[in-house]
Amino acid sequence: MRFSANLGFLYTDRPLLQAVGDAAADGFDAVECHFPYDTPPAQLRAACAAAGLGLVGLNTRPGNAGEFGLAALPDRIAEARAAIREAVDYAAEAGAGAVHVMAGLTDGGAAAEAAYRENLAFACEAARPAGLTILIEPINRFDIPAYHLHDLAHADDVIAALGAPELALMFDCYHGGREGCDVTAELAARGPGLGHVQIAAVPDRGAPDHGAVDYPVALAALAASGYSGAVGAEYRPDGPGAGQTRWLAPLRAAARDDYREGNMRLKDKTAIVTGGGSGFGAQIARRFAEEGARVMVADINAAGAQEVAAEIGGIAQTVDVADDASVAAMAKAALDGLGHVDILVNNAGITHPRGPLEEVSEADFDRTFAVNAKSVYLTARHLVGAMKARGSGVILN
């Protein structure tokens, strides 16, 4: 199960692009935003790519100060649709997967409901070419009494009435819990149909390690349901600094244990992931472990390899993939520790220092070529023989 840092609540004491990198360093798999519009979408996309994180989604603009959206305001149709179009365009360029269309504060009357449904239909049509999901989220009446959408039954009615494949429910466990829902039961029943899930303690909206919802149990139920999306951490942290994600490893383990019971596609398989100590490589190693593989996390950064390996129950190995002796040692350690290697992921890679190509030194070019290309030869040289002897093996470059 993937966990997403909600950057509207977390890391708010720093610039958005820095927050993306810090979320990755703290072990998140993705990020989600409230209103990232002051940051060019191409820059946000690049920051997520550099950090190895997915971008789950973002909100439409909330309107004026004190407002919570425009979609259900019958006298603001043009403004609501401009906000929807802006959000869809931004999400598509930034590489996000979803847009949450905020409903706004209303009297709950028929005119508001008609406007809401018409604007959601518009949003679904706008999202269709980009393959985006449109999310709606019930928000509890204790925090925002006049919010147009506050209960699950209403959301279900809207989704059923529109019948648009782009439209899905975002279930915030905090809001659901405040409204008296049985959060675990709802996650278990709705899992595969949910567009997104968010978590926080009930009732104080703190970190999800206390309160009325037993999140290890709830997320195990969600994983068992077949839900394949991310879980967004949208809670009020104690403050900036270390220790704010102490809840993450236990919840990840709880979800993984249940996930493994029904999704062991790599059970009894073994794998080496080079460059596995950070970024994409770390995510590959985590996913392989989630699906039952025993994984060697190989990285030139020994601390990074050890951290990821400890998290997933794997083997850490320090390696310079451009050095023959180092790769030979990695291969021997893998064969000794894993018994055999079914999958080799040649993920390690570097680039030359930023600047014009004519200013790149020969040493920098040689190093870049060795890590990105020679490494493929070296790993094959030291592992293909063992794969041939077993009659099977997969190499991903």
Side-chain angles (χ1 to χ4, degrees):
M1 181 170 286
R2 296 176 298 126
F3 287 85
S4 171
N6 187 293
L7 301 184
F9 275 67
L10 306 181
Y11 309 102
T12 57
D13 59 334
R14 64 206 76 184
L16 179 62
L17 301 183
Q18 180 185 340
V20 171
D22 291 344
D26 282 345
F28 284 103
D29 310 296
V31 293
E32 54 198 64
C33 300
H34 280 180
F35 316 110
Y37 301 104
D38 290 340
T39 300
Q43 291 185 16
L44 180 55
R45 185 179 195 131
C48 289
L53 301 184
L55 178 58
V56 174
L58 52 98
N59 295 344
T60 54
R61 288 188 187 268
N64 299 322
E67 294 183 319
F68 289 88
L70 303 167
L73 307 186
D75 58 343
R76 308 276 288 279
I77 297 293
E79 193 177 349
R81 294 190 179 185
I84 289 168
R85 172 52 67 186
E86 176 191 34
V88 167
D89 289 347
Y90 188 103
E93 188 172 348
V99 169
H100 169 214
V101 176
M102 299 187 69
L105 309 179
T106 76
D107 61 5
E113 182 66 9
Y116 187 46
R117 296 189 183 200
E118 290 169 7
N119 283 329
L120 287 175
F122 173 84
C124 290
E125 290 184 12
R128 193 165 297 137
L132 296 172
T133 298
I134 296 298
L135 299 172
I136 58 173
E137 176 190 25
I139 294 179
N140 80 81
R141 287 168 286 190
F142 296 94
D143 290 359
I144 308 177
Y147 194 74
H148 184 73
L149 183 68
H150 61 77
D151 65 60
L152 291 171
H154 185 181
D156 290 341
D157 287 345
V158 170
I159 292 170
L162 292 182
E166 294 81 16
L167 188 61
L169 174 69
M170 176 160 66
F171 182 58
D172 187 313
C173 299
Y174 164 74
H175 289 301
R178 290 285 279 156
E179 283 286 325
C181 293
D182 183 333
V183 169
T184 299
E186 293 291 348
L187 292 176
R190 294 173 177 271
L194 292 172
H196 189 43
V197 173
Q198 293 177 328
I199 58 174
V202 178
D204 65 10
R205 207 168 194 177
D209 57 2
H210 65 280
V213 178
D214 186 342
Y215 278 112
V217 174
L219 294 189
L222 179 64
S225 77
Y227 176 72
S228 59
V231 172
E234 191 183 50
Y235 66 91
R236 297 189 182 100
D238 298 334
Q244 297 306 310
T245 55
R246 59 189 179 276
W247 56 270
L248 182 55
L251 286 193
R252 191 188 296 279
R256 182 182 298 128
D257 287 345
D258 195 273
Y259 179 91
R260 280 177 169 169
E261 291 181 9
N263 296 274
M264 298 285 280
R265 291 180 294 182
L266 297 180
K267 183 180 180 182
D268 299 327
K269 299 295 184 181
T270 61
I272 300 172
V273 180
T274 68
S278 63
F280 286 114
Q283 302 309 322
I284 293 169
R286 291 184 180 113
R287 177 53 61 88
F288 279 18
E290 286 177 354
E291 298 191 1
R294 291 182 295 134
V295 182
M296 169 177 278
V297 181
D299 202 292
I300 198 168
N301 179 351
Q306 290 166 2
E307 182 176 352
V308 175
E311 176 189 333
I312 66 174
I315 299 172
Q317 177 69 25
T318 305
V319 65
D320 179 350
V321 295
D323 179 80
D324 182 71
S326 185
V327 173
M330 177 193 74
K332 183 178 186 303
L335 294 172
D336 289 344
L338 299 174
H340 62 276
V341 176
D342 293 304
I343 307 166
L344 166 65
V345 182
N346 282 313
N347 168 77
I350 61 170
T351 185
H352 59 72
R354 185 172 298 177
L357 180 61
E358 64 271 19
E359 297 178 9
V360 176
S361 70
E362 184 174 0
D364 283 337
F365 176 84
D366 287 345
R367 178 63 179 168
T368 302
F369 184 84
V371 172
N372 296 335
K374 181 183 176 183
S375 61
V376 176
Y377 155 72
L378 292 177
T379 54
R381 179 183 180 190
H382 292 289
L383 286 164
V384 166
M387 288 180 173
K388 285 182 174 180
R390 291 192 76 242
S392 66
V394 174
I395 299 175
L396 303 175
N397 295 322

